[in-house]
Every structure is written in C-alpha cells, then in structure tokens.
Amino acid sequence: MSKIADNTAPNPSRRGLHDLAAGVCAGVVGTAFGHPLDTVKVRLQTQGMVRSYTGMVDCFVKIVKQEGTSSLFRGIASPMLSLTILNAISFGTYGHIKAAMRTHLNDNKPLTHAHHVLAGAAVGALSTVVSTPFEMVKVRLQLDNVQEKRFKGSIHAARYLVREYGFTSLYAGFWVNTWREILFCALYFGVYETAKSSMRKAFYDLTGTDQQVVSILIAGGLSGMAGWFGSFPLDTVKSNIQGQTLTKPYKQSLRMHSVALAQYRAKGIVGLYSGVGPALAGALIVSVKRISAYECNL
C-alpha cells in the first residue's frame, strides 16, 4: 500500500479552502439529483398520518399523476441551501478535525477507522443546529400537497411557521435530528474512509495500479447507503415529528421514544424503515455524485 500515492494530508492552509469549495459543489450536485427520491421517502414515512402508498413506485406514480412532476421538487430550495451550507461546514470541519488528530498523533501514524468515525460524529453534532430548521421546512413543503397546498415556497413556509407557531417550531424534532446526524455522519465518513483505503489497496494488489477514481465512486455509494440505512429509523421518527399537526402556541407533543414505539407497535421494525427503498436509491446516486464533486475539487 505504501506504493500508492497518499494525498490524505495536504497543506492545512489550502485544505480548508478546498474543503469549503468542494462542500458547496457537493451540496448543489447532491440535492439536485436526490430531492425527488427524498420526497417519496418522506411521503412513505408519514403515510400513516396522511394517505397510503403501496411502495416506492406507487408513491412516485401517484405524486406525478395526481399532483404533477413539479410536486417531486416541492421544498427543494430548503435542502439546496442547507446542504450547500452543511456540506461546506461538514467537509471543512471534518478536514480540520482530521488535521488536529494528525497533529495530536505527531503525523507518525495514519488515522484509524475509530478516528474517522469520531470525526464524523463530531461533524454530525455540529450540523444539527443548521439542519433542523431546514429539515422542518422541507418536510412541511413535501407534505403540503397531501391535504391542502398552503405554501408558495420555502421562505413562505418558514415565515408562516414562525408567524403562526413561533420561532421554536422550526426546531421541532431537534433532539432526534441530533442523534440522526451524529449516527449518519459517523457511519458516512467512517465507511467512506475505510472502504476507499481498502479498495485502493485491493485494486493495487490485483492490477498493480492505483484505481483511485473507481475506489472513490464505490466508497461514496457504500458510505451513503450505510449512513442512511443505519440512521433511517431515527429519520422516520424525525419526519413524523416534523410532519405532525402543530398547536398554538407551539409545544412539541410527540416525543422521540413515543413515536418510535408507536411505529414499532403498529408495523413492527418494518414501520421504522418505511421509505428506505428510495432513501437507499437516492443515497447511492447522490453520494457518488456528492463525493465525486467533493474529491474532484480538492
């Protein structure tokens, strides 16, 4: 493996700017390709509250037939902005945390899988302050066409929520989203780094060449799917909390454990994984493009 070019420790002063620019590109690319599948996911996760779909394809077809193709992109402005910001923050923060870890190790040893997982978890914990209000607006817009179309767009939805229910309504599901972000980012970065390194070594052993691009693409897809599958029950709970009927003044009536228990009692473990199909399909497509946009801009 020593013969493979190692670019994991670039100049720290340049890495921060590269991570920021790469994160912005990754956020735009990932959202553009993944939002329709995310809309299907949210509809399936909350179908017990609104209407039933038999599966991913049925949900997709019904949305297009009954509401129009544009409905698949309802709420895209919120994640487009939030994921652009979050990816810039996340990739940049992840790079800085890894650099700090290397400094602590005196650059004598490579970072381990545990280091990457811990760095990812730290990124997730920091991300939730930004991601929660954007997730709330996105979910409300994605469910808006189900009963009545009230919102003209993301800004209108956010202003409506603040005006009618107060600023704190934007942070509905904050704690479940915090744990979701921590688990997702820990799995995402941990799996990505390990898979990329392992596959580069495997390709080199088999072919004698460093198949870095192929390794990045495969590792990107695997990391996205692992992150989503592992954190999906928490995402289901979050979607149901953020899609609940709000009261005035706003007070969160649904709790993480009660929603999870209700889903489990009603449908078993399958209930917590309603909508996992489009999530994994989206993760495969989006993560490959997102990580490609990130790595190509380094």
Side-chain angles (χ1 to χ4, degrees):
M1 185 64 179
S2 59
K3 295 182 180 179
I4 298 178
D6 184 5
N7 60 358
T8 58
N11 186 295
S13 62
R14 297 181 62 189
R15 182 61 185 252
L17 291 175
H18 285 170
D19 284 337
L20 182 64
V24 170
C25 292
V28 172
V29 172
T31 305
F33 280 90
H35 193 74
L37 286 170
D38 188 77
T39 296
V40 173
K41 171 188 73 72
V42 170
R43 293 290 184 92
L44 289 172
Q45 285 177 319
T46 58
Q47 64 181 328
M49 296 190 303
V50 286
R51 75 168 66 161
S52 295
Y53 304 101
T54 59
M56 179 174 68
V57 176
D58 179 59
C59 181
F60 185 91
V61 171
K62 283 183 177 177
I63 290 175
V64 173
K65 283 186 175 180
Q66 298 173 6
E67 304 169 27
T69 305
S70 62
S71 189
L72 292 168
F73 292 89
R74 291 272 295 168
I76 193 173
S78 180
M80 182 70 76
L81 177 59
S82 67
L83 289 179
T84 298
I85 296 172
L86 283 171
N87 277 329
I89 294 173
S90 297
F91 284 116
T93 302
Y94 181 67
H96 281 296
I97 292 174
K98 288 200 301 179
M101 288 178 169
R102 289 194 191 94
T103 301
H104 180 72
L105 294 173
N106 297 318
D107 290 327
N108 293 325
K109 297 180 181 179
L111 298 182
T112 66
H113 177 70
H115 287 118
H116 295 138
V117 170
L118 288 173
V123 169
L126 293 172
S127 299
T128 191
V129 176
V130 177
S131 68
T132 302
F134 283 104
E135 282 288 313
M136 177 64 172
V137 171
K138 175 182 72 71
V139 168
R140 302 304 289 196
L141 278 164
Q142 288 173 322
L143 297 177
D144 190 38
N145 278 1
V146 176
Q147 294 178 327
E148 57 178 322
K149 189 174 181 178
R150 293 170 296 176
F151 306 129
K152 299 176 182 178
S154 296
I155 295 177
H156 181 221
R159 292 178 63 183
Y160 174 85
L161 289 171
V162 172
R163 183 179 69 250
E164 295 294 324
Y165 305 105
F167 181 79
T168 56
S169 66
L170 294 176
Y171 279 87
F174 174 79
W175 288 111
V176 66
N177 189 52
T178 299
W179 289 112
R180 181 188 75 98
E181 292 279 15
I182 290 173
L183 183 55
F184 177 86
C185 290
L187 289 169
Y188 184 84
F189 286 110
V191 170
Y192 175 71
E193 297 281 9
T194 300
K196 182 177 70 170
S197 177
S198 298
M199 280 185 286
R200 287 182 69 186
K201 182 179 185 303
F203 278 123
Y204 186 82
D205 291 342
L206 288 172
T207 67
T209 58
D210 181 11
Q211 299 293 329
Q212 184 178 14
V213 174
V214 177
S215 298
I216 287 172
L217 294 177
I218 296 174
L222 290 175
S223 63
M225 293 177 74
W228 267 111
F229 189 81
S231 64
F232 199 81
L234 291 173
D235 188 74
T236 296
V237 173
K238 179 196 70 68
S239 293
N240 278 276
I241 289 176
Q242 293 182 327
Q244 67 181 298
T245 300
L246 301 179
T247 58
K248 297 182 184 180
Y250 170 73
K251 182 178 181 181
Q252 186 165 306
S253 57
L254 296 178
R255 301 295 177 184
M256 180 169 63
H257 67 279
S258 61
V259 173
L261 188 59
Q263 289 282 336
Y264 180 77
R265 285 176 174 173
K267 304 176 184 178
I269 193 67
V270 175
L272 294 172
Y273 278 93
S274 295
V276 73
L280 294 181
L284 179 61
I285 298 170
V286 171
S287 293
V288 167
K289 294 185 178 297
R290 181 174 292 160
I291 208 68
S292 299
Y294 170 69
E295 292 279 10
C296 288
N297 279 275
L298 291 180

